[in-house]
Every structure is written in structure tokens, then in C-alpha cells.
Amino acid sequence: MPAAAPTTREHGGDRPTADPARRPLRAHLRAGGPALLAVALFLCVRAFSLAALAVRAAATDKSPRVLLSERWDSLWYARVAEHGYDFTVNAPDGRSLSSMAFFPLLPWLERGTRTVTGLSLPAAGLLVGALSSALAAWAVFLVVRHSYGDRAGVVCVVLWAAVPVGIVQSMAYSEALFTALAACGLLCALRERWMTAGILASLAGLTRPVGLAVTAALFLAVWLHHRAGAGGSRDRIRAVLGCLVAPVGAVAYILWVGARRGRLLGYLDVQDEWGNGFDGGWAFARFLTGGSAALAVLALLGMLLLAYWPHHIGAKQHQPPPLIAYSALVTLLAVGASGYFGSKPRLLLPAFPLLIPLAVLLARRRPALTWSALTTLTVASAVYGAYWLTGSGPP
């Protein structure tokens, strides 16, 4: 009797399918349909948000292009791309603000894009951001699908696109690039592709210091994998190498800044000059309560509870521990930083696993209810983003 043909199982289904290597092209396209749908819906949300921004900018006599690529941090990234790290600004209060506060991967990509395309640096930043956000949407879908199926993956991508500060995904900022690298790295960790996960974690660390959260998630994934006794000697070697590579990006840049500043942890001095530090959220709580210490304690406890809830629900939904560890660290570093308080929402943008519990809940509801909720959130996000960016906006 001939041996049965090798089969695989699609996620969430019970029907065996043909060996993926033998599928025709149309079958591959059909299999990738939900991912394409997720990215297409993401782009629709982004287009709607940009249209709302254009309307609001016209009403306030402002340029959408300037708002998206030539203000706040986007200016600093362009300065690094143009001048390297020999650029400082003397603030009115006497502080010396160094460009070394900004990690190098986004400026490198902006400079490379300008060289290849001939675009200006602000336009190159927008292009890098647009491509990164689309890649991030694709990776977020795959991460969520890994545990919860196609529908939850699509819903989570739309939720991520429609968060109140989602307009940042279309700016020349590093959030979209970081989320793309982080989500791809997490996906590789969940699929036990240790070396690729390590390289992506290292690149995430060259993008933002919170890239070390991806490294921590990889360490946890490797530990859980080998505690279960899975994998052979070659797998262990790849896992160790991936873990060694993962922190290299962030650590190398921090040490380079330290060498430039003449002190091992000179990067902390740079952050201190910008008014950034870590106090566990105490300064943020006092800001929210007008400086009252008693109310600040209550506010801090409330923030801890709010941060705990989605992780608790995620654990009950059997969310993979590396995702919980990653989002918990991103949340901790965003809320616990003592810097500019208006930046907190956008610093939470890469913590997409926080949205998974809601995505799973909506994915189990009737389609009419699900899409009505997502449409409402999209409209609210577009309006909020348009007013926010033409007002105080991100720092």
C-alpha cells in the first residue's frame, strides 16, 4: 500500500491540506488572502485618517506634509541623517539637547532612501514610515493568527490602525519601523526561528531602546522551549546564538554613545538632558493629578490596574508568554518614563498585544457588530488624529 502524501493542517481547521511545497500558485494566494485583507484594511484606515488630516489642515491653514514629516522628532531624525550625531540644540532653559538621544536605524534608512530615490529627507522618512507600517500590519496579523486564527488577526490589525494616535503610523517617526521589526521578531520567536528572531531583535534595538523588550521576549521563548525538552543540539546552538545576537543593536549604540561622552552609561546623561528618566510612573501620576501626592498614589495604582488587565485577560486566553512579556515591558517603559507626558500614547503604539483580548472578543461576535465597532473606532481615530496633529501633537 503506497504511503500517504504528507499533509499539514491550516490554523484553526481540521481538514488536511496538500504539502505546501507542492501547492500551485493560486493555492498560495488563497492561503495568503486573510493577510492581504488585513493589510488592505490597514491601508484603508490609514488613507481615511490622512484624508481627515488633510481636511482639518486646510481648515487651519497648515500643511499635512509638514505636520507628518517636518516637526518634532521627525526633524531630529532628519538632522541625524543629514549631519550625523554632531548636532545639538541649546534650549531656552539652558539644556543642551543632543541628537544622540535618537537611535540610528531610521536615519540610516532615510539617508539610504534619499540616495536611491532622490527624495528629500522628509519625503524619504514618510516613505520608510509607510512601508514600515504596512509591514507591521502584516506581521501583527501573522502573530495574532499564530494563536487565534485569521479573523482575530484581521480584527487586531484594524484595531491597531484605529487606535487614537494611529496617525503616528503615517509619520516620519520610528514607531512604525520599530513595531514592524518587533512583530517580525516575535513571530520568528513563536515559530522557533531563533537566529532570525535574534537579528530582528537586534535591529529593533537599533531603532528604539525599548527594543530590549523584544530581546527579553526571545529569551523567554527560548527558555520555555528548552525547559519543555524540545529541540536537539543544533536547535540549542541556534537558540544560544540568537540570544547572543539579540541585544547587540541596543547595547552597541549605548556603548558607542558612552564612548563619545566619556562615560560608560553616557546615554543616560543624554536622556537626562532631555528630561527623560524612569521613575515607575510617579511623575506621570503627579502630572495627571495636578501634583497632589495622595491623588498621585491613587492614580499610580489605577495605571497599574489598567496595565494589568489586558495582560491578565491575555493569559486567560492562552496568549503566548513571550507576547505578554514584550507588551508588559513596553507598557512599563512607556508609562514609567518621566519625560514629556503627551508622548505616552504614542510610546504605547508598539504594544500591539494589548489589543489581542479585544480582537479575540470582537472576532467571536456577529460580523455586523464587529465591523460596526471597527468602523466607529476608525472614524473616531481619524477625527482625533486630525485635531491632535494640528494642535499639540506628539513631541
Side-chain angles (χ1 to χ4, degrees):
M1 184 174 179
T7 62
T8 60
R9 291 186 184 275
E10 294 183 351
H11 186 92
D14 298 321
R15 183 175 58 190
T17 58
D19 182 355
R22 299 183 181 183
R23 288 181 186 171
L25 177 60
R26 285 182 299 176
H28 282 288
L29 293 176
R30 284 196 299 270
L36 294 176
L37 173 62
V39 174
L41 290 172
F42 172 82
L43 294 176
C44 288
V45 175
R46 295 270 39 83
F48 186 75
S49 296
L50 291 175
L53 174 63
V55 171
R56 175 62 181 167
T60 56
D61 196 27
K62 294 182 178 179
S63 166
R65 177 183 56 80
V66 172
L67 293 171
L68 293 169
S69 65
E70 297 184 37
R71 293 181 69 186
W72 306 298
D73 287 8
S74 57
L75 272 180
W76 282 93
Y77 285 118
R79 288 165 178 163
V80 173
E82 184 71 36
H83 305 289
Y85 283 101
D86 296 320
F87 190 90
T88 58
V89 169
N90 295 318
D93 59 5
R95 291 177 300 151
S96 179
L97 306 181
S98 170
S99 58
M100 286 187 286
F102 297 87
F103 274 50
L105 186 58
L106 178 58
W108 289 346
L109 292 175
E110 288 180 347
R111 186 161 51 196
T113 301
R114 181 182 66 175
T115 300
V116 172
T117 64
L119 294 170
S120 65
L121 281 174
L126 288 178
L127 178 59
V128 171
L131 295 175
S132 298
S133 63
L135 175 60
W138 173 78
V140 167
F141 167 81
L142 293 179
V143 168
V144 178
R145 184 180 71 171
H146 181 86
S147 298
Y148 301 105
D150 288 341
R151 191 174 181 192
V154 171
V155 171
C156 192
V157 168
V158 178
L159 285 174
W160 186 67
V163 294
V165 294
I167 190 67
V168 175
Q169 297 160 356
S170 298
M171 297 178 66
Y173 268 46
S174 63
E175 275 74 15
L177 175 62
F178 175 77
T179 306
L181 293 169
C184 288
L186 291 169
L187 177 66
C188 290
L190 294 177
R191 292 181 173 179
E192 300 168 9
R193 297 176 181 175
W194 309 124
M195 274 301 299
T196 306
I199 292 170
L200 289 165
S202 185
L203 291 173
L206 277 173
T207 308
R208 300 185 67 87
V210 74
L212 291 173
V214 189
T215 297
L218 174 59
F219 285 179
L220 179 59
V222 169
W223 180 74
L224 291 173
H225 177 73
H226 289 286
R227 189 185 69 166
S233 58
R234 289 186 178 180
D235 181 69
R236 291 189 178 89
I237 292 172
R238 286 193 290 266
V240 169
L241 290 176
C243 289
L244 290 175
V245 168
V248 166
V251 171
Y253 180 71
I254 290 171
L255 291 178
W256 178 82
V257 173
R260 290 282 300 266
R261 302 283 295 204
R263 197 171 85 88
L264 179 63
L265 297 179
Y267 178 77
L268 298 181
D269 297 334
V270 172
Q271 289 292 338
D272 186 61
E273 290 162 3
W274 276 83
N276 295 327
F278 183 85
D279 61 5
W282 178 247
F284 186 35
R286 290 179 64 87
F287 168 77
L288 292 175
T289 57
S292 169
L295 291 177
V297 171
L298 295 177
L300 188 57
L301 291 174
M303 288 190 293
L304 291 174
L305 182 62
L306 287 174
Y308 168 78
W309 179 81
H311 296 102
H312 172 68
I313 299 299
K316 291 180 66 175
Q317 294 175 340
H318 306 291
Q319 190 174 132
L323 297 188
I324 295 176
Y326 163 77
S327 60
L329 285 172
V330 172
T331 302
L332 177 65
L333 293 174
V335 175
S338 59
Y340 181 69
F341 303 121
S343 65
K344 302 294 184 184
R346 72 171 179 87
L347 294 179
L348 285 169
L349 197 59
F352 67 89
L354 294 175
L355 300 170
I356 293 177
L358 179 57
V360 172
L361 179 67
L362 287 174
R364 293 171 179 171
R365 296 297 182 264
R366 291 187 309 239
L369 176 61
T370 300
W371 296 111
S372 295
L374 294 177
T375 301
T376 301
L377 290 173
T378 296
V379 173
S381 171
V383 173
Y384 177 85
Y387 277 83
W388 181 57
L389 208 58
T390 52
S392 61

